[in-house]
Amino acid sequence: MSRGALPADRTVAVAAFVAVALFVATWTVLHTGFYRHKQIVDTPVYQRYGNEIAHGKVPYRDFQLEYPPGALPMFALPGLAQPGHGQDVKPGFRRTFETLMWLCGAAAPCAMALALRKLGGAVWAPLLFAALAPLALGSVILSRFDLWPAALAAGATAALVSGRFRIGHALLGLGAAAKFYPGLLVPLAVAYTWKRRGRSEALVGLGLAAAVIAAVFLPFVILAPGGVWQSISVQLHRPLQVESLGAAVLLAAHHVFGLGVTGETSHGSQNLAGTTANVVGAVSTLVQACLLVWIWTAFARGPGTAAAFVRAAAAAVCAFVAFDKVLSPQFLIWLIPVVPLVRGRRGVWASAVLLGALVLTQVWFPFRYFRLALHFEGGLSWALLARDVLLVAVALLLAWPSHIARRPHVGSST
């Protein structure tokens, strides 16, 4: 197949089928061997939410939760399958939750295949990467609901590059209502639609995304405005989480220069406390915002091709993850369905570096997490810094302009 040629539908279908089959095998392997050891799971928290809903309580009004309302189906459905009390995860809840996550995980390579059908070029390598990458990241993928927004973002990307602009915007709205980060793609989606279909269609798409977000949030805002705002405020005011880039730099300075660092546990995570950590967190957030604006602006000014849109989307998500003041291991799940879609050598290198970041994450999580998070162990701190630097490298590799404009030589023709 020549470079850039559109793959045959049969090739895409077979590759998607194989990718889903491999993902099933991957999911099975993650339940065996060393993957079962020392797991750190969020399912007890999800079960508590599901139990409250099963007992007729209204989220945000009758009990507090930290996630947006678009995440509620992932808690409510398993909770209805087997309501209960306490922190021990009920088998019915766990099985139903993992089934939902498995379905989302299998949907992502299918969405990727649809996007690759329009993007052209290699099909097998990106799909095989996405199917097998969870083995590099580890068991965290089993007990987090992040496959749900990741599947929605992948579906939105596929819809947009396939010319289904309204479906794409609606899926981004639903994804943003589930875990906010798919909302990072809305400016890119609007710009892409404007380039391909004009201003009117772009504004319709923006309206659809906003309408879906409003439809998901509005019932809870009416019933419990304070509770909804608190769930958002908690996320906005989180301290510098110990696995973030800023924290990794401070831990490196601690080991090399003796910089004093103080840990604290709050907001459901282990963090660094103190004035220095707060300043580093604020600077990291500022850099993150500037980089996102640069990516959005560069795409808006550049070519409106599907390949450019996919690269900008991957760059935006990776930049958000790499420079966020919170960098939980499950955030890397968001990158698996989108980075391999990037075409050419840039995409190959980005996927290879991402693979390194996934493997390094498993060096400490979950097996040695508390040795890093509570005791700041030296070797693990350096592994953390290396992982975060790799994520920065992926973000910059994807965001860096394809060409650098050259000034014409004096006397040259124009």
Side-chain angles (χ1 to χ4, degrees), residues 167-210:
I167 294 175
H169 282 86
L171 288 174
L172 286 180
L174 185 57
K179 201 157 186 176
F180 295 130
Y181 90 86
L184 301 171
L185 306 186
V186 172
L188 298 172
V190 171
Y192 180 60
T193 306
W194 195 311
K195 292 170 180 289
R196 306 292 289 190
R197 293 285 179 86
R199 180 178 64 180
S200 297
E201 186 66 18
L203 293 177
V204 169
L206 178 61
L208 276 173

Side-chain angles (χ1 to χ4, degrees), residues 115-153:
L116 291 166
R117 178 175 174 270
K118 293 295 183 181
L119 290 168
V123 173
W124 284 95
L127 293 180
L128 295 181
F129 179 95
L132 297 173
L135 293 176
L137 181 58
S139 61
V140 65
I141 200 169
L142 300 175
S143 62
R144 305 301 193 276
F145 77 93
D146 294 76
L147 283 169
W148 166 233
L152 291 172

Side-chain angles (χ1 to χ4, degrees), residues 11-27 100-119 122-134 141 147-159 333-338 340-341:
T11 300
V12 173
V14 171
F17 177 82
V18 172
V20 171
L22 282 176
F23 178 78
V24 173
T26 296
W27 193 264
L100 291 173
M101 292 303 98
W102 174 86
L103 292 172
C104 291
C110 293
M112 292 176 65
L114 292 175
L116 291 166
R117 178 175 174 270
K118 293 295 183 181
L119 290 168
V123 173
W124 284 95
L127 293 180
L128 295 181
F129 179 95
L132 297 173
I141 200 169
L147 283 169
W148 166 233
L152 291 172
T157 302
I333 296 171
W334 308 347
L335 304 176
I336 293 174
V338 63
L341 294 179

Side-chain angles (χ1 to χ4, degrees), residues 243-339:
E243 295 168 278
S244 65
L245 174 64
V249 172
L250 292 180
L251 290 181
H254 168 69
H255 291 293
V256 175
F257 304 111
L259 176 71
V261 291
T262 303
E264 67 168 13
T265 298
S266 64
H267 298 77
S269 63
Q270 284 65 50
N271 318 294
L272 297 187
T275 302
T276 302
N278 292 337
V279 170
V280 170
V283 171
S284 180
T285 300
L286 178 61
V287 173
Q288 177 193 60
C290 291
L291 187 53
L292 286 171
V293 171
W294 175 45
I295 292 168
W296 294 336
T297 304
F299 174 73
R301 293 177 174 176
T305 63
F309 167 72
V310 167
R311 180 164 70 86
V317 177
C318 195
F320 181 82
V321 171
F323 290 94
D324 198 18
K325 62 181 179 178
V326 177
L327 208 175
S328 299
Q330 62 266 27
F331 290 6
L332 274 69
I333 296 171
W334 308 347
L335 304 176
I336 293 174
V338 63
V339 171

